[in-house]
Amino acid sequence: MTAADGANRQTAEEAKSPEELRGEIEETRAELGDTVQALAEKTDVKAQAKQRAAAAKATALQKKQELTAKVKASAPDSASAGAQQMTTKAKENPVPLTAGAAFFFGYLIGRRRAR
């Protein structure tokens, strides 16, 4: 900065009215207050931990609700609905049911003969 720059700056500041200067001071104070508040928030570890815990809790609750909805969608509403679902699956693919029944009856016959 040269002497001429300093002189120009000084004349520009002198040209401002006291009201303008007060306004600038108030604006600077407000900006400084915002900066101090932002710094205080960054250094408040306890508040940050609470925010993270609340976020984790919200995420866990959301996942729980999603899983509950999936289970309800896949589970039958009642025992009769479950029986109906099993009957439908057995009709669609009878081989596993037939093989299981044959194995079970073979096991029973084998036990009777062993006595």
Side-chain angles (χ1 to χ4, degrees):
M1 182 182 331
T2 64
D5 289 338
N8 287 340
R9 186 174 186 205
Q10 204 171 30
T11 359
E13 288 178 2
E14 289 173 1
K16 292 182 182 178
S17 71
E19 289 301 317
E20 290 176 330
L21 289 175
R22 285 187 189 103
E24 286 180 11
I25 290 171
E26 288 301 317
E27 184 178 323
T28 303
R29 283 183 182 159
E31 290 173 1
L32 183 60
D34 292 342
T35 303
V36 168
Q37 184 178 4
L39 287 172
E41 288 174 3
K42 284 186 176 184
T43 58
D44 190 0
V45 177
K46 188 175 182 180
Q48 288 178 0
K50 285 183 180 180
Q51 288 175 348
R52 287 189 185 123
K57 184 178 179 181
T59 302
L61 181 61
Q62 181 183 5
K63 289 192 184 274
K64 176 189 166 202
Q65 290 171 343
E66 288 173 4
L67 289 174
T68 303
K70 283 183 182 179
V71 167
K72 284 183 180 179
S74 65
D77 292 334
S78 65
S80 62
Q84 182 64 35
Q85 186 179 14
M86 289 294 287
T87 305
T88 305
K89 286 192 180 207
K91 287 179 182 178
E92 290 173 359
N93 193 4
V95 175
L97 180 64
T98 306
F103 177 76
F104 178 72
F105 287 120
Y107 173 76
L108 287 178
I109 291 171
R111 285 197 43 118
R112 282 193 168 251
R113 286 190 180 171
R115 287 187 185 175

